[in-house]
Amino acid sequence: MAPVVDAGAEASGRLDVLLAGYGTVGQAVHRALEEHRGELTARGVDARVTAIARRERTAIDADGIAYPEANGLAWEPGELMDAIWEAEADVLVEATPTDLVDGQPALGHVRTALHNDMGVVLANKGPLAHAYHELEDRAREAGVPLRFEATVGACIPAVNAARHAFAGDRVQRVEGILNGTTNFVLTRMSEEGSELEQALRETQALGYAEADPSADLEGLDAAAKIVILANALLDRELTLEDVDVEGIRDLPRNAVELAGQHGKRLKLVAEADREGTVRVGPSMVPKGDPLDVPGALNAVRFTTELAGSRTHTGAGAGGGPTAAAIVSDLVEVARELGER
Amino acid sequence: MAPVVDAGAEASGRLDVLLAGYGTVGQAVHRALEEHRGELTARGVDARVTAIARRERTAIDADGIAYPEANGLAWEPGELMDAIWEAEADVLVEATPTDLVDGQPALGHVRTALHNDMGVVLANKGPLAHAYHELEDRAREAGVPLRFEATVGACIPAVNAARHAFAGDRVQRVEGILNGTTNFVLTRMSEEGSELEQALRETQALGYAEADPSADLEGLDAAAKIVILANALLDRELTLEDVDVEGIRDLPRNAVELAGQHGKRLKLVAEADREGTVRVGPSMVPKGDPLDVPGALNAVRFTTELAGSRTHTGAGAGGGPTAAAIVSDLVEVARELGER
């Protein structure tokens, strides 16, 4: 057994998981918990999915629900919120569709879970974009963990880096390419010389943009993520309304081309510091800069007092990368709950 | 107080630190522990340097030794090894100069510390390049932590990422630009069209290469680092002798230029997987690839089963970045020792 895994084997005991939402991410988490049982056991974590809830359908089994390879699940009619009250799980994984307007209904799910002394792991950034500190306070009062690595850059170490890699250091500034869709569109525009609308259609055809890409193009998705990072890493107390947001819908004509002529690339950059800056907008990034990532990749640069700057890059979305972040959060949740 | 820091406040109690080596890194650690006392206290860590040992001189004070801004330390004649036996510290920070030939005298320091049930944090990769598993076994038997984030890529999350960000996942492959000196030399050759010897002199003049850069140019420094990563992340059981190493001294004429003509860059790449590969050698990296980092930067790409690939980049050397990694290790050491 690898020594590093050995040393991390502090987590302990059974962890009953309630999956709220069972789309790409929920299913990927379910599958990962089953297929990576060995890695989890090596850390002392016996995680099983004991309840799954999606709109108007639930599946509950206190003995654990196997990942359905073919035949599907034995759904019963039922409300997601009722499942949170009734399932007696140790932790809620919130992976329902994100609503950035008010964070609902996920915000209600998280409040209810914390009220019932359940830990919470979020894939959904809506609740944190609107009520970060309220939820942190509720979790602290309940004495349960609230984790959300998956909400920013999927598997890219971002939120939790502050707990571990930056321990004892002080983060001063965070910048990032936090939205894969706009990065893909801007990359196409740069490489093909195409206009926004055409690049967007191609991006949708390739599956990198949703049918309604407004939240991406208008910068709201990136804004929600920088709110989360600023609250978690920079001692800020922000909601989505506080962010100075400019999207890429109204780029000046030839802006992408002009950037290229000056050895730069136009990117949708999100940034925040401790002095009051929190913004999202189109920005010129020098070619070859760590933030100059192509396609749908995300990147986050952290500037800290001791270490200077570091950049983490990777896929910012997708079932596997998001599930990986959620599973790593669940390992920490198991450890924290085991220590109580 | 930031919630994320709050949640990490599991560490506890006083941690008496013995600094072995007091060059750039040792002094940077000393200074960081003093200037970042607030961040450490927020995590419940009261770390103080109670002993400093360098060749034939020691300074010991059980009440803690303040970082000397001007007047220097009250050195006494004394042997480093004696200080390890006598200082009664909780943890040894090994930051003496690295010797890749046999890992000594640092290997002896680490063995002695573990024999005395002291935790160990390494900045020096020599001992791990030669005796990784022996030292892990000794640490496990003594029930004390052995940490070494600083040995690979300084502050870039590498070794410890396996404990946290990749928890529950499985690393399949690691590749990296792990030596800043050779990367700087190759970047100069690429950008200036210069030959190796000239680029090396410029790199030395700028302070990015040592007077004797053999270990860098011959690939041994990168080899030691890939040994550490392969042992820690890929369940391998390797020493430096197992690595297939080729440096950049004998590059074919115009190799750098030819790479550029094909849209690539020549880099000294280290790589390892679970199937038997462990090698260091010149390799063509596509321009714009996450591993295509300029200057003295380092980069590590991790490919895991669930998440796919992620890349971490940053300064791979220097007092601040190295001290940041050591301080984050000390926070974890304090927590582990507090849990005993």
Side-chain angles (χ1 to χ4, degrees):
Chain A
M1 185 179 297
V4 165
V5 172
D6 232 13
E10 306 130 358
S12 55
R14 179 158 165 178
L15 187 74
D16 288 353
V17 178
L18 163 53
L19 291 180
Y22 202 63
T24 306
V25 171
Q27 291 177 46
V29 171
H30 195 180
R31 181 177 191 149
L33 290 177
E34 199 150 299
E35 294 186 352
H36 281 243
R37 180 162 291 279
E39 282 75 22
L40 293 163
T41 302
R43 288 168 194 268
V45 180
D46 175 18
R48 58 189 76 191
V49 176
T50 55
I52 303 174
R54 54 194 309 183
R55 227 175 348 166
E56 298 172 12
R57 286 190 292 174
T58 61
I60 300 183
D61 185 339
D63 292 329
I65 302 167
Y67 179 73
E69 286 302 341
N71 296 324
L73 289 169
W75 295 107
E76 300 282 344
E79 292 297 324
L80 200 159
M81 193 67 94
D82 292 336
I84 301 175
W85 283 100
E86 292 161 14
E88 297 187 357
D90 300 306
V91 59
L92 169 75
V93 172
E94 218 317 322
T96 66
T98 295
D99 183 329
L100 289 178
V101 175
D102 61 4
Q104 293 290 7
L107 179 53
H109 303 158
V110 176
R111 285 177 175 145
T112 305
L114 294 174
H115 177 79
N116 283 287
D117 294 344
M118 291 169 64
V120 172
V121 172
L122 286 151
N124 186 327
K125 57 197 157 309
L128 297 172
H130 290 281
Y132 183 100
H133 288 283
E134 176 210 314
L135 296 177
E136 282 279 2
D137 290 345
R138 285 181 191 267
R140 192 180 301 113
E141 282 159 24
V144 294
L146 171 70
R147 297 291 173 124
F148 42 88
E149 181 66 64
T151 60
V152 182
C155 67
I156 301 172
V159 176
N160 292 345
R163 294 179 208 274
H164 305 299
F166 309 157
D169 203 350
R170 183 178 162 89
V171 184
Q172 295 167 305
R173 182 178 177 76
V174 181
E175 303 148 278
I177 309 298
L178 302 181
N179 180 267
T181 301
T182 48
N183 204 51
F184 199 96
V185 167
L186 290 169
T187 301
R188 297 284 297 189
M189 291 171 72
S190 167
E191 289 176 355
E192 317 285 335
S194 49
E195 295 294 316
L196 177 69
E197 288 307 321
Q198 186 193 336
L200 178 59
R201 280 193 301 273
E202 293 164 356
T203 304
Q204 286 169 322
L206 291 164
Y208 286 108
E210 300 183 42
D212 177 6
S214 303
D216 297 315
L217 296 183
E218 289 165 10
L220 287 178
D221 176 76
K225 291 166 179 169
I226 197 70
V227 161
I228 293 170
L229 289 177
N231 286 328
L233 276 59
L234 298 166
D235 288 335
R236 301 288 298 269
E237 300 203 2
L238 303 175
T239 70
L240 192 53
E241 287 70 35
D242 298 314
V243 187
D244 178 8
V245 187
E246 186 186 340
I248 64 166
R249 271 214 196 276
D250 304 313
L251 288 177
R253 198 173 158 71
N254 296 337
V256 171
E257 191 185 339
L258 278 169
Q261 288 167 2
H262 290 82
K264 303 197 172 183
R265 271 193 256 268
L266 199 71
K267 296 278 182 193
L268 185 67
V269 174
E271 55 181 324
D273 61 25
R274 289 183 179 269
E275 273 71 56
T277 299
V278 57
R279 71 176 206 93
V280 171
S283 186
M284 303 280 199
V285 173
K287 282 181 189 174
D289 186 277
L291 292 185
D292 175 22
V293 288
L297 287 180
N298 284 21
V300 192
R301 174 158 56 206
F302 309 90
T303 304
T304 67
E305 278 184 6
L306 283 175
S309 80
R310 279 168 278 210
T311 305
H312 302 173
T313 66
T322 307
I326 291 170
V327 169
S328 73
D329 273 349
L330 286 172
V331 170
E332 299 214 348
V333 165
R335 201 196 68 215
E336 273 196 55
L337 291 177
E339 282 175 357
R340 289 201 306 179
Chain B
M1 185 180 297
V4 166
V5 172
D6 232 14
E10 305 131 357
S12 56
R14 179 159 164 176
L15 187 74
D16 288 353
V17 178
L18 164 53
L19 291 180
Y22 203 63
T24 306
V25 170
Q27 291 179 45
V29 171
H30 195 182
R31 182 176 190 150
L33 290 177
E34 197 149 302
E35 294 186 351
H36 281 242
R37 179 161 291 279
E39 282 75 23
L40 293 164
T41 303
R43 290 170 192 264
V45 180
D46 175 19
R48 60 190 73 193
V49 174
T50 56
I52 303 173
R54 57 194 305 183
R55 222 173 355 165
E56 298 175 13
R57 287 190 292 172
T58 62
I60 300 183
D61 185 338
D63 293 328
I65 303 167
Y67 179 74
E69 286 301 343
N71 295 325
L73 290 168
W75 295 107
E76 301 281 345
E79 292 298 323
L80 202 159
M81 193 67 94
D82 292 336
I84 300 174
W85 284 100
E86 293 162 13
E88 297 187 358
D90 301 306
V91 59
L92 169 74
V93 172
E94 218 316 324
T96 66
T98 294
D99 183 327
L100 289 179
V101 176
D102 60 5
Q104 293 291 10
L107 179 54
H109 303 158
V110 176
R111 285 175 175 148
T112 305
L114 295 174
H115 176 81
N116 283 286
D117 294 344
M118 291 169 65
V120 172
V121 173
L122 285 153
N124 186 328
K125 58 197 157 309
L128 298 172
H130 291 281
Y132 183 100
H133 288 282
E134 176 209 316
L135 296 176
E136 282 279 2
D137 290 345
R138 285 181 188 266
R140 191 179 300 114
E141 281 159 25
V144 295
L146 172 69
R147 299 290 174 125
F148 41 88
E149 181 66 65
T151 59
V152 182
C155 66
I156 300 172
V159 176
N160 291 346
R163 292 179 210 274
H164 304 300
F166 310 156
D169 203 350
R170 183 178 162 91
V171 183
Q172 295 167 305
R173 182 176 175 76
V174 180
E175 301 149 280
I177 309 298
L178 301 181
N179 181 267
T181 300
T182 47
N183 205 49
F184 199 97
V185 167
L186 291 169
T187 301
R188 296 284 297 190
M189 291 171 71
S190 167
E191 290 176 353
E192 317 284 333
S194 49
E195 295 293 315
L196 178 70
E197 288 306 321
Q198 186 192 338
L200 178 61
R201 280 193 301 273
E202 292 163 357
T203 304
Q204 286 169 320
L206 290 163
Y208 287 106
E210 299 182 44
D212 178 5
S214 304
D216 297 315
L217 296 183
E218 289 165 11
L220 286 179
D221 175 76
K225 291 168 180 168
I226 198 69
V227 161
I228 293 171
L229 289 177
N231 286 329
L233 275 59
L234 299 167
D235 288 335
R236 301 286 299 267
E237 300 204 2
L238 304 174
T239 70
L240 191 53
E241 287 70 34
D242 298 312
V243 188
D244 178 8
V245 187
E246 186 186 339
I248 64 166
R249 271 212 198 275
D250 303 313
L251 288 177
R253 195 171 163 75
N254 295 336
V256 170
E257 191 185 339
L258 277 169
Q261 288 167 3
H262 290 83
K264 304 198 171 181
R265 270 191 257 271
L266 199 73
K267 297 278 182 193
L268 185 66
V269 175
E271 56 183 323
D273 61 24
R274 288 182 181 271
E275 272 69 58
T277 299
V278 57
R279 70 175 207 93
V280 171
S283 186
M284 302 280 198
V285 173
K287 282 183 187 172
D289 186 277
L291 291 184
D292 175 23
V293 289
L297 287 180
N298 283 22
V300 192
R301 174 158 56 206
F302 309 91
T303 304
T304 66
E305 277 184 4
L306 283 175
S309 80
R310 279 168 277 210
T311 305
H312 302 172
T313 66
T322 307
I326 291 169
V327 169
S328 73
D329 273 350
L330 287 172
V331 170
E332 298 212 349
V333 165
R335 200 195 69 215
E336 273 195 55
L337 292 177
E339 282 173 358
R340 289 201 305 180

